Amino acid sequence: MIVICDYDPRWLALFESLRATLSAALGDLVSRIEHVGSTAVPGLAAKPIVDLDAVLRSGADREVAIARLDRLGYLHRGNLGIAGREAFTFRGSGPSPGAHHLYVCDPASSEWRRHLLFRDALRADAALAAEYAALKRRMANLHAEDPDAYTEAKTEFVEAVLHAAAKR
């Protein structure tokens, strides 16, 4: 079931907590850990799941990063069809750190750059963010039981924002 919630300022605190944990575990393997996705845009309605992109300093460090994340309680799910990006799900024992998706990205991957470009465009334009929130709510109602259809229904909007942002 796809549920879109009003913005929750606790999403930022969750991100900061996760970033601290991941930074300690990954150390100098990563150049940056970014809060991406809708929860990274203040005021934007979103699924209550924090998305993080951890950008490797070198693609050669991917296997070491996967091993470190495994020890931290993350299940490696592969690239899920997006080259240069590895997806992880927290499956550790003990208390959950909070709902989140973790992606480890090669520095040459365009995916993390697209995430930042889209996030920053929404952060810079409240009207655009409101338009996106309305679309997300409509599509969540229309495709409540089909996450793939929900995502596909947003693609045209996302690509238009990315195209306009790249021109700036």
Side-chain angles (χ1 to χ4, degrees):
M1 179 76 162
I2 298 170
V3 176
I4 302 297
C5 302
D6 289 339
Y7 179 78
D8 187 336
R10 293 177 294 183
W11 294 334
L12 177 58
L14 174 57
F15 164 72
E16 293 295 348
S17 173
L18 290 165
R19 177 168 55 184
T21 300
L22 293 167
S23 290
L26 295 172
D28 63 357
L29 295 179
V30 295
S31 61
R32 62 201 298 172
I33 299 174
E34 294 282 347
H35 187 186
V36 296
S38 295
T39 62
V41 180
L44 182 60
K47 292 184 292 183
I49 302 168
V50 170
D51 292 317
L52 300 96
D53 281 353
V55 182
L56 294 169
R57 289 192 186 276
S58 168
D61 293 328
R62 184 181 314 113
E63 294 306 316
V64 176
I66 290 169
R68 288 186 188 179
L69 289 169
D70 180 67
R71 287 192 297 274
L72 200 59
Y74 283 90
L75 173 67
H76 179 223
R77 297 174 52 220
N79 71 11
L80 303 180
I82 299 176
R85 183 197 82 176
E86 302 296 319
F88 295 83
T89 302
F90 185 76
R91 55 134 173 83
S93 58
S96 170
H100 65 285
H101 294 144
L102 171 61
Y103 303 99
V104 172
C105 303
D106 287 353
S109 166
S110 64
E111 191 64 17
W112 69 269
R113 288 180 183 89
R114 287 171 46 88
H115 288 168
L116 296 183
L117 193 61
F118 187 68
R119 177 200 69 191
D120 293 348
L122 294 177
R123 283 179 172 175
D125 187 336
L128 186 65
E131 183 180 350
Y132 187 50
L135 173 65
K136 289 164 49 107
R137 289 185 191 280
R138 283 193 315 275
M139 295 306 104
N141 286 332
L142 188 62
H143 303 291
E145 303 298 329
D146 188 347
D148 292 334
Y150 166 78
T151 299
E152 179 61 30
K154 299 182 306 171
T155 299
E156 184 177 337
F157 180 91
V158 171
E159 292 301 325
V161 169
L162 288 169
H163 181 73
K167 286 183 171 182
R168 292 187 199 125

